Amino acid sequence: MASATPHSSSIKASASPNGASSTNSNFSKKPNQISFTSSINPTPISAKICNSNGSPGRSSSVISNVLKIAESTGTAALDATDLRAPTSYGPRPKILVSEKLGEAGLQVLRGFGEVECLYNLSPEELREKISSFDALIVRSGTKVTRQVFEAAKGRLKVVGRAGVGIDNVDLPAATEFGCLVVNAPTANTVAAAEHGIALLTSMARNVAQSDASMKAGKWERNKYVGVSLVGKTLAVMGFGKVGSEVARRAKGLGMHVIAHDPYAAADRARAMSVDLVSFDEAICTADFISLHMPLTPTTKNVFNDHTFSKMKKGVRIINVARGGVIDEDALVRALDSGVVAQAALDVFVEEPPSKESKLVQHHNVTVTPHLGASTKEAQEGVAIEIAEAVVGALNGELSATAVNAPMVPPEVLSELAPYVILAEKLGRLAVQLVAGGGGVQSVKVVYRSARDTDDLDTRLLRAMITKGIIEPISSSFVNLVNADHVAKQKGLRISEERVTIDSSPESPLDSIQINISNMDSKFASAVTEDGHISIEGRVKDGVPHLTCVGTFDVDVSLEGNVILCRQVDQPGMIGLVGNILGQHNVNVSFMSVGRTAPRKKAIMAIGVDEAPRKETLDDIGNVPAIEEFVFLDL
Ligand SMILES: NC(=O)c1ccc[n+]([C@@H]2O[C@H](COP(=O)([O-])OP(=O)(O)OC[C@H]3O[C@@H](n4cnc5c(N)ncnc54)[C@H](O)[C@@H]3O)[C@@H](O)[C@H]2O)c1
Ligand SMILES: O=C(O)[C@H](O)COP(=O)(O)O
């Protein structure tokens, strides 16, 4: 078969907007358009797609996972499950709850899947069991390590953290394994803030120590003289949800409140009459310091010998955030030297801390066993919040509390849904046009849109293009969580370009074009003059279409598989190829011809429901006017 040189121009063969002509099986010829009435409904119904051996291939699950077909209306809705996790579970996914969770949340989970509550699992036991579960729900006591994700063998799709802090979950590992992590960020805020205030006030008045003293039969009124709060300066370190609630309550106690938070908005603080100050100013001027930042590599041990030495002598410290933000040995030294007069701690580097912990045993320290979130109300709220997030994630919804994936508002998702499907299909088609399939390193995606750049979130689209490019040629599973990671691992660089067009911004996108550089194509006509394998697609009436191959305009709806043929443009070609497919019982859904000029080169794009057998493709290849052809498996 001769290989044609790339064409530099395309001459529109029809009056359709992109110049492609659609064809129809009754071969009726309309002015400017040959139409081909397909035997299947043009709206996607059930995309049963087979591999070349005729068995349902991975592509069938891709389609069914991404598309939920509303047969009654003929509309396609996005099931984002495929964006994040394989849907390998049966009708009842299995959910492991490894720490105490409120009953209301358990009920939500039981309504959806099989729930096993196995509290107090050792790390080994968790690793042994995890591969039987689709979801894991934890609080702060379960360490979800890389080994846990490895042991899950790809089954674990979502980890739900029933609370705020996700420092007990190895996020990079979760992302690499394509496992979504969601948390319940709001339901325990008030509980934590109330506990912070409880520790602040009880520390100031020696409540815990004097209680213990009385229970030991003593009456030590002079020993337990406290300090007043009114007029004292409280530094809130971390002015987020809990920090700002603590600030609000402390103001009610008559305290002067300042805060340090490098990321907090000054106007939010100002609205509460709280001054946002530098770290040093906060710790140097405060009488009380309350910690409310997350534990991150930056905040680890941020309270240490050096920072304690800068504090006002006699400062009092409250920690309901995370133990690791304080160097505990340094705090003991600061307490012994009197720089820190008292500390009230709910959280510890190691939980539970050792019985011999000098910090826990220190007479100027009040401790509680990580009780910040432990109110009935907070636990019910957290349980419902996390149960709904986990069920949503297993159902394929994009979560509003995703920690390691973009949070996409539902309205954006529903608007982008058909483009997300188009993006994946274009990725799948493009990579199949590469000679040899693999080795793609550089892909440029061009989005044409009438929308402002910041009014179009392309992360979903990029993830699905990545999925489309990588999955047909590797065993990797790609979803929204791990798309960028897998691309990087495979050495695939995807650059994106936005072209703003003068059109109605009502639809988010006009077209998506995928260009693969520096690769030979098995279909030479897909290569543009500047040497890229290039295809373009659009969404028409909610259905993804392939609209350009190389420099040829075509128009084929991407509902089944596609055959691309380049031929000398001459009468009878559509009938000839249509007949071959018909004789071999291959159902044609769509045909379109794009050509450079009448009786010159033309590309025929044929949508077929079934994957043609080798003999069918051989027969097509034997048609003398056909110069090259390729079968593309969607
Ligand atoms: N003890 C408990 O039971 C309990 C309960 C709830 C929350 N927490 C912990 O409290 C902390 C805060 O929770 P939240 O819900 O308010 O979270 P949040 O994300 O709403 O607030 C955290 C704030 O810390 C700020 N921050 C980040 N780095 C900082 C830094 N280096 N210095 C100062 N501020 C910094 C962030 O900008 C953010 O505003 C978390 O560590 C959480 O795990 C503990
Ligand atoms: O980060 C949190 O939400 C709190 O520390 C609560 O942790 P817990 O769920 O283990 O009580």
Side-chain angles (χ1 to χ4, degrees), residues 276-327:
L276 274 186
V277 297
S278 68
F279 181 87
D280 276 0
E281 187 178 344
I283 63 165
C284 295
T285 54
D287 303 298
F288 291 79
I289 300 176
S290 192
L291 311 186
H292 302 289
M293 66 261 276
L295 176 60
T296 65
T298 326
T299 61
K300 188 165 187 242
N301 288 340
V302 72
F303 297 95
N304 52 39
D305 285 317
H306 177 65
T307 49
F308 283 130
S309 72
K310 293 182 178 179
M311 293 177 188
K312 226 178 177 178
K313 191 161 169 48
V315 67
R316 289 173 165 81
I317 293 179
I318 304 105
N319 188 6
V320 290
R322 281 295 177 268
V325 301
I326 297 179
D327 173 342

Short mmCIF file of all heavy atoms in Angstrom, two decimals, residues 276-327:
data_model
loop_
_atom_site.label_atom_id
_atom_site.label_comp_id
_atom_site.label_asym_id
_atom_site.label_seq_id
_atom_site.Cartn_x
_atom_site.Cartn_y
_atom_site.Cartn_z
N LEU A 276 -3.51 40.18 61.90
CA LEU A 276 -2.62 39.14 61.38
C LEU A 276 -1.19 39.65 61.50
O LEU A 276 -0.87 40.74 61.00
CB LEU A 276 -2.92 38.86 59.90
CG LEU A 276 -4.02 37.85 59.56
CD1 LEU A 276 -4.07 37.62 58.06
CD2 LEU A 276 -3.85 36.52 60.30
N VAL A 277 -0.34 38.90 62.16
CA VAL A 277 1.02 39.37 62.41
C VAL A 277 2.02 38.30 61.96
O VAL A 277 1.64 37.17 61.65
CB VAL A 277 1.22 39.69 63.92
CG1 VAL A 277 0.30 40.81 64.37
CG2 VAL A 277 1.02 38.44 64.77
N SER A 278 3.30 38.67 62.00
CA SER A 278 4.34 37.71 61.61
C SER A 278 4.47 36.64 62.70
O SER A 278 4.00 36.80 63.83
CB SER A 278 5.67 38.43 61.45
OG SER A 278 6.11 38.86 62.73
N PHE A 279 5.13 35.56 62.33
CA PHE A 279 5.35 34.47 63.30
C PHE A 279 6.05 35.01 64.54
O PHE A 279 5.61 34.79 65.67
CB PHE A 279 6.19 33.37 62.62
CG PHE A 279 6.47 32.19 63.50
CD1 PHE A 279 5.57 31.13 63.56
CD2 PHE A 279 7.63 32.11 64.27
CE1 PHE A 279 5.81 30.03 64.38
CE2 PHE A 279 7.88 31.02 65.08
CZ PHE A 279 6.97 29.97 65.14
N ASP A 280 7.14 35.76 64.31
CA ASP A 280 7.92 36.24 65.46
C ASP A 280 7.12 37.19 66.33
O ASP A 280 7.16 37.11 67.56
CB ASP A 280 9.20 36.94 64.97
CG ASP A 280 10.31 35.92 64.71
OD1 ASP A 280 10.04 34.70 64.92
OD2 ASP A 280 11.41 36.32 64.31
N GLU A 281 6.38 38.10 65.69
CA GLU A 281 5.58 39.04 66.49
C GLU A 281 4.55 38.27 67.32
O GLU A 281 4.34 38.58 68.50
CB GLU A 281 4.88 40.06 65.58
CG GLU A 281 4.20 41.14 66.41
CD GLU A 281 3.52 42.22 65.58
OE1 GLU A 281 3.80 42.33 64.37
OE2 GLU A 281 2.68 42.94 66.17
N ALA A 282 3.96 37.25 66.71
CA ALA A 282 2.95 36.48 67.44
C ALA A 282 3.56 35.82 68.67
O ALA A 282 3.05 35.96 69.78
CB ALA A 282 2.33 35.43 66.51
N ILE A 283 4.67 35.12 68.45
CA ILE A 283 5.19 34.34 69.59
C ILE A 283 5.90 35.23 70.63
O ILE A 283 6.00 34.86 71.79
CB ILE A 283 6.11 33.17 69.15
CG1 ILE A 283 7.36 33.66 68.44
CG2 ILE A 283 5.34 32.16 68.30
CD1 ILE A 283 8.44 32.57 68.33
N CYS A 284 6.40 36.37 70.18
CA CYS A 284 7.13 37.24 71.12
C CYS A 284 6.19 38.05 72.01
O CYS A 284 6.58 38.48 73.10
CB CYS A 284 8.04 38.21 70.39
SG CYS A 284 9.35 37.39 69.50
N THR A 285 4.98 38.31 71.54
CA THR A 285 4.12 39.22 72.30
C THR A 285 2.99 38.51 73.05
O THR A 285 2.32 39.11 73.88
CB THR A 285 3.47 40.27 71.36
OG1 THR A 285 2.80 39.57 70.31
CG2 THR A 285 4.48 41.23 70.79
N ALA A 286 2.78 37.23 72.76
CA ALA A 286 1.59 36.57 73.31
C ALA A 286 1.79 36.10 74.75
O ALA A 286 2.87 35.68 75.15
CB ALA A 286 1.25 35.37 72.44
N ASP A 287 0.68 36.17 75.52
CA ASP A 287 0.64 35.55 76.84
C ASP A 287 0.19 34.09 76.72
O ASP A 287 0.56 33.25 77.52
CB ASP A 287 -0.36 36.30 77.74
CG ASP A 287 -0.01 37.77 77.86
OD1 ASP A 287 1.09 38.07 78.37
OD2 ASP A 287 -0.80 38.62 77.40
N PHE A 288 -0.65 33.86 75.72
CA PHE A 288 -1.14 32.51 75.43
C PHE A 288 -0.93 32.27 73.93
O PHE A 288 -1.17 33.18 73.12
CB PHE A 288 -2.64 32.39 75.73
CG PHE A 288 -2.97 32.44 77.20
CD1 PHE A 288 -3.02 33.66 77.89
CD2 PHE A 288 -3.24 31.27 77.91
CE1 PHE A 288 -3.32 33.71 79.24
CE2 PHE A 288 -3.55 31.32 79.26
CZ PHE A 288 -3.58 32.54 79.94
N ILE A 289 -0.52 31.06 73.60
CA ILE A 289 -0.35 30.71 72.18
C ILE A 289 -1.16 29.45 71.92
O ILE A 289 -0.95 28.43 72.58
CB ILE A 289 1.14 30.47 71.84
CG1 ILE A 289 1.97 31.72 72.12
CG2 ILE A 289 1.29 30.05 70.37
CD1 ILE A 289 3.48 31.54 71.88
N SER A 290 -2.08 29.54 70.98
CA SER A 290 -2.92 28.38 70.68
C SER A 290 -2.62 27.91 69.25
O SER A 290 -2.66 28.70 68.30
CB SER A 290 -4.40 28.79 70.82
OG SER A 290 -5.20 27.64 70.82
N LEU A 291 -2.34 26.62 69.10
CA LEU A 291 -1.85 26.11 67.81
C LEU A 291 -2.99 25.49 66.98
O LEU A 291 -3.70 24.62 67.47
CB LEU A 291 -0.76 25.07 68.03
CG LEU A 291 0.35 25.48 69.01
CD1 LEU A 291 1.45 24.43 69.03
CD2 LEU A 291 0.92 26.84 68.66
N HIS A 292 -3.09 25.95 65.74
CA HIS A 292 -4.18 25.47 64.87
C HIS A 292 -3.75 25.31 63.41
O HIS A 292 -4.55 25.44 62.50
CB HIS A 292 -5.37 26.43 64.97
CG HIS A 292 -5.86 26.55 66.37
ND1 HIS A 292 -6.52 25.51 67.00
CD2 HIS A 292 -5.70 27.53 67.29
CE1 HIS A 292 -6.77 25.87 68.26
NE2 HIS A 292 -6.29 27.10 68.46
N MET A 293 -2.49 25.02 63.22
CA MET A 293 -2.02 24.78 61.84
C MET A 293 -1.95 23.29 61.58
O MET A 293 -1.88 22.50 62.52
CB MET A 293 -0.65 25.42 61.62
CG MET A 293 0.45 24.81 62.41
SD MET A 293 0.84 25.75 63.87
CE MET A 293 1.95 26.98 63.23
N PRO A 294 -1.95 22.91 60.31
CA PRO A 294 -1.81 21.47 60.03
C PRO A 294 -0.37 21.03 60.24
O PRO A 294 0.54 21.87 60.25
CB PRO A 294 -2.19 21.37 58.55
CG PRO A 294 -1.88 22.72 57.99
CD PRO A 294 -2.05 23.72 59.08
N LEU A 295 -0.17 19.73 60.40
CA LEU A 295 1.20 19.21 60.44
C LEU A 295 1.66 18.97 59.01
O LEU A 295 1.07 18.15 58.28
CB LEU A 295 1.24 17.89 61.22
CG LEU A 295 2.62 17.20 61.26
CD1 LEU A 295 3.68 18.09 61.90
CD2 LEU A 295 2.53 15.86 61.98
N THR A 296 2.66 19.73 58.60
CA THR A 296 3.22 19.60 57.25
C THR A 296 4.75 19.60 57.41
O THR A 296 5.24 19.90 58.51
CB THR A 296 2.82 20.80 56.36
OG1 THR A 296 3.43 21.98 56.92
CG2 THR A 296 1.31 20.99 56.27
N PRO A 297 5.49 19.34 56.34
CA PRO A 297 6.95 19.43 56.49
C PRO A 297 7.38 20.82 56.99
O PRO A 297 8.37 20.94 57.72
CB PRO A 297 7.46 19.16 55.06
CG PRO A 297 6.39 18.30 54.45
CD PRO A 297 5.09 18.78 55.04
N THR A 298 6.64 21.86 56.66
CA THR A 298 7.02 23.21 57.09
C THR A 298 6.69 23.45 58.56
O THR A 298 7.41 24.19 59.25
CB THR A 298 6.24 24.27 56.27
OG1 THR A 298 6.04 23.80 54.98
CG2 THR A 298 6.88 25.62 56.28
N THR A 299 5.61 22.86 59.04
CA THR A 299 5.22 23.16 60.42
C THR A 299 5.79 22.16 61.42
O THR A 299 5.66 22.37 62.63
CB THR A 299 3.67 23.17 60.56
OG1 THR A 299 3.17 21.88 60.22
CG2 THR A 299 3.03 24.22 59.68
N LYS A 300 6.39 21.09 60.92
CA LYS A 300 6.94 20.08 61.84
C LYS A 300 7.99 20.75 62.75
O LYS A 300 8.88 21.46 62.27
CB LYS A 300 7.59 18.96 61.01
CG LYS A 300 8.02 17.80 61.84
CD LYS A 300 8.31 16.57 61.00
CE LYS A 300 8.57 15.43 61.92
NZ LYS A 300 9.83 14.82 61.88
N ASN A 301 7.84 20.54 64.05
CA ASN A 301 8.79 21.07 65.05
C ASN A 301 9.00 22.57 64.94
O ASN A 301 10.08 23.08 65.25
CB ASN A 301 10.16 20.38 64.93
CG ASN A 301 10.12 18.97 65.44
OD1 ASN A 301 9.21 18.61 66.20
ND2 ASN A 301 11.07 18.15 65.03
N VAL A 302 8.00 23.29 64.50
CA VAL A 302 8.17 24.74 64.35
C VAL A 302 8.29 25.39 65.73
O VAL A 302 8.87 26.47 65.88
CB VAL A 302 7.03 25.33 63.47
CG1 VAL A 302 5.70 25.35 64.16
CG2 VAL A 302 7.39 26.69 62.94
N PHE A 303 7.80 24.70 66.76
CA PHE A 303 8.03 25.17 68.13
C PHE A 303 9.16 24.33 68.69
O PHE A 303 8.99 23.14 68.99
CB PHE A 303 6.74 25.08 68.96
CG PHE A 303 5.69 25.99 68.37
CD1 PHE A 303 4.76 25.52 67.47
CD2 PHE A 303 5.71 27.35 68.64
CE1 PHE A 303 3.84 26.37 66.86
CE2 PHE A 303 4.80 28.22 68.04
CZ PHE A 303 3.87 27.73 67.14
N ASN A 304 10.32 24.97 68.81
CA ASN A 304 11.54 24.26 69.17
C ASN A 304 12.36 25.14 70.13
O ASN A 304 11.91 26.22 70.52
CB ASN A 304 12.33 23.92 67.90
CG ASN A 304 12.54 25.17 67.03
OD1 ASN A 304 12.78 26.27 67.56
ND2 ASN A 304 12.40 25.02 65.72
N ASP A 305 13.54 24.69 70.49
CA ASP A 305 14.35 25.45 71.46
C ASP A 305 14.50 26.90 71.03
O ASP A 305 14.38 27.82 71.84
CB ASP A 305 15.75 24.82 71.59
CG ASP A 305 15.71 23.52 72.40
OD1 ASP A 305 15.01 23.50 73.44
OD2 ASP A 305 16.33 22.54 71.98
N HIS A 306 14.75 27.06 69.71
CA HIS A 306 14.99 28.42 69.21
C HIS A 306 13.74 29.28 69.35
O HIS A 306 13.80 30.41 69.87
CB HIS A 306 15.42 28.32 67.74
CG HIS A 306 15.63 29.64 67.10
ND1 HIS A 306 16.63 30.50 67.50
CD2 HIS A 306 14.96 30.26 66.09
CE1 HIS A 306 16.57 31.60 66.77
NE2 HIS A 306 15.55 31.48 65.91
N THR A 307 12.60 28.75 68.92
CA THR A 307 11.39 29.59 68.96
C THR A 307 10.88 29.75 70.40
O THR A 307 10.39 30.83 70.76
CB THR A 307 10.30 29.04 68.02
OG1 THR A 307 10.13 27.64 68.25
CG2 THR A 307 10.64 29.26 66.57
N PHE A 308 11.06 28.72 71.25
CA PHE A 308 10.66 28.91 72.65
C PHE A 308 11.48 30.03 73.29
O PHE A 308 10.98 30.79 74.11
CB PHE A 308 10.86 27.61 73.45
CG PHE A 308 9.78 26.58 73.18
CD1 PHE A 308 10.11 25.26 72.87
CD2 PHE A 308 8.43 26.91 73.26
CE1 PHE A 308 9.13 24.31 72.62
CE2 PHE A 308 7.44 25.96 73.01
CZ PHE A 308 7.79 24.67 72.69
N SER A 309 12.76 30.11 72.89
CA SER A 309 13.63 31.12 73.53
C SER A 309 13.19 32.55 73.21
O SER A 309 13.57 33.49 73.90
CB SER A 309 15.08 30.90 73.10
OG SER A 309 15.23 31.30 71.75
N LYS A 310 12.40 32.70 72.14
CA LYS A 310 11.96 34.06 71.78
C LYS A 310 10.68 34.45 72.51
O LYS A 310 10.24 35.59 72.44
CB LYS A 310 11.65 34.10 70.27
CG LYS A 310 12.85 33.93 69.38
CD LYS A 310 12.36 34.06 67.95
CE LYS A 310 13.51 33.96 66.99
NZ LYS A 310 13.07 34.05 65.61
N MET A 311 10.04 33.49 73.17
CA MET A 311 8.72 33.77 73.75
C MET A 311 8.83 34.56 75.04
O MET A 311 9.86 34.56 75.71
CB MET A 311 7.98 32.45 73.99
CG MET A 311 7.63 31.73 72.71
SD MET A 311 6.84 30.15 73.04
CE MET A 311 6.78 29.47 71.40
N LYS A 312 7.73 35.22 75.38
CA LYS A 312 7.63 35.98 76.63
C LYS A 312 7.74 34.98 77.79
O LYS A 312 7.12 33.93 77.76
CB LYS A 312 6.21 36.56 76.67
CG LYS A 312 6.08 37.98 77.05
CD LYS A 312 4.59 38.31 76.95
CE LYS A 312 4.27 39.68 77.38
NZ LYS A 312 2.85 39.99 77.21
N LYS A 313 8.52 35.29 78.80
CA LYS A 313 8.64 34.35 79.92
C LYS A 313 7.26 34.16 80.58
O LYS A 313 6.55 35.13 80.83
CB LYS A 313 9.66 34.89 80.93
CG LYS A 313 10.04 33.88 81.98
CD LYS A 313 11.35 34.26 82.65
CE LYS A 313 11.68 33.46 83.89
NZ LYS A 313 11.57 32.05 83.86
N GLY A 314 6.93 32.93 80.81
CA GLY A 314 5.64 32.63 81.45
C GLY A 314 4.50 32.43 80.47
O GLY A 314 3.33 32.37 80.86
N VAL A 315 4.84 32.29 79.20
CA VAL A 315 3.81 32.06 78.19
C VAL A 315 3.10 30.73 78.44
O VAL A 315 3.67 29.80 79.03
CB VAL A 315 4.46 32.11 76.77
CG1 VAL A 315 5.40 30.94 76.55
CG2 VAL A 315 3.41 32.15 75.68
N ARG A 316 1.85 30.64 78.00
CA ARG A 316 1.09 29.39 78.14
C ARG A 316 0.69 28.91 76.74
O ARG A 316 0.24 29.71 75.92
CB ARG A 316 -0.13 29.62 79.03
CG ARG A 316 0.25 29.81 80.47
CD ARG A 316 -0.91 30.20 81.36
NE ARG A 316 -0.56 30.03 82.78
CZ ARG A 316 0.14 30.92 83.48
NH1 ARG A 316 0.55 32.06 82.94
NH2 ARG A 316 0.43 30.68 84.76
N ILE A 317 0.85 27.61 76.53
CA ILE A 317 0.65 27.07 75.18
C ILE A 317 -0.46 26.03 75.18
O ILE A 317 -0.52 25.17 76.06
CB ILE A 317 1.97 26.45 74.66
CG1 ILE A 317 2.99 27.58 74.47
CG2 ILE A 317 1.75 25.70 73.35
CD1 ILE A 317 4.34 27.13 74.00
N ILE A 318 -1.31 26.14 74.16
CA ILE A 318 -2.39 25.16 73.99
C ILE A 318 -2.18 24.51 72.62
O ILE A 318 -1.96 25.20 71.62
CB ILE A 318 -3.78 25.84 73.99
CG1 ILE A 318 -3.98 26.66 75.27
CG2 ILE A 318 -4.91 24.82 73.82
CD1 ILE A 318 -3.85 28.13 75.04
N ASN A 319 -2.27 23.20 72.56
CA ASN A 319 -2.15 22.52 71.26
C ASN A 319 -3.29 21.53 71.07
O ASN A 319 -3.32 20.47 71.70
CB ASN A 319 -0.79 21.82 71.13
CG ASN A 319 -0.57 21.28 69.72
OD1 ASN A 319 -1.39 21.53 68.82
ND2 ASN A 319 0.51 20.55 69.51
N VAL A 320 -4.23 21.90 70.18
CA VAL A 320 -5.24 20.92 69.75
C VAL A 320 -5.08 20.64 68.25
O VAL A 320 -6.00 20.15 67.61
CB VAL A 320 -6.71 21.36 70.05
CG1 VAL A 320 -7.00 21.36 71.53
CG2 VAL A 320 -7.02 22.69 69.41
N ALA A 321 -3.89 20.97 67.72
CA ALA A 321 -3.67 20.75 66.28
C ALA A 321 -3.03 19.39 66.05
O ALA A 321 -3.73 18.38 65.90
CB ALA A 321 -2.84 21.88 65.70
N ARG A 322 -1.72 19.33 66.06
CA ARG A 322 -1.00 18.08 65.91
C ARG A 322 0.25 18.11 66.77
O ARG A 322 0.97 19.13 66.79
CB ARG A 322 -0.59 17.85 64.45
CG ARG A 322 -1.71 17.33 63.55
CD ARG A 322 -2.16 15.94 63.99
NE ARG A 322 -3.27 15.41 63.22
CZ ARG A 322 -4.56 15.55 63.53
NH1 ARG A 322 -4.91 16.22 64.62
NH2 ARG A 322 -5.50 15.01 62.79
N GLY A 323 0.54 16.98 67.42
CA GLY A 323 1.70 16.92 68.30
C GLY A 323 2.99 17.31 67.61
O GLY A 323 3.83 18.01 68.17
N GLY A 324 3.12 16.89 66.36
CA GLY A 324 4.38 17.06 65.63
C GLY A 324 4.77 18.50 65.36
O GLY A 324 5.91 18.75 64.96
N VAL A 325 3.90 19.47 65.58
CA VAL A 325 4.31 20.86 65.34
C VAL A 325 5.20 21.35 66.48
O VAL A 325 5.87 22.37 66.38
CB VAL A 325 3.12 21.83 65.10
CG1 VAL A 325 2.30 21.40 63.90
CG2 VAL A 325 2.25 21.99 66.33
N ILE A 326 5.21 20.60 67.60
CA ILE A 326 6.06 20.95 68.74
C ILE A 326 7.17 19.90 68.88
O ILE A 326 6.90 18.70 68.82
CB ILE A 326 5.24 20.99 70.05
CG1 ILE A 326 4.17 22.08 69.99
CG2 ILE A 326 6.15 21.19 71.25
CD1 ILE A 326 3.30 22.16 71.26
N ASP A 327 8.39 20.39 69.09
CA ASP A 327 9.47 19.49 69.50
C ASP A 327 9.22 19.23 70.99
O ASP A 327 9.43 20.12 71.83
CB ASP A 327 10.81 20.18 69.24
CG ASP A 327 12.00 19.41 69.78
OD1 ASP A 327 11.79 18.52 70.64
OD2 ASP A 327 13.13 19.71 69.37
#
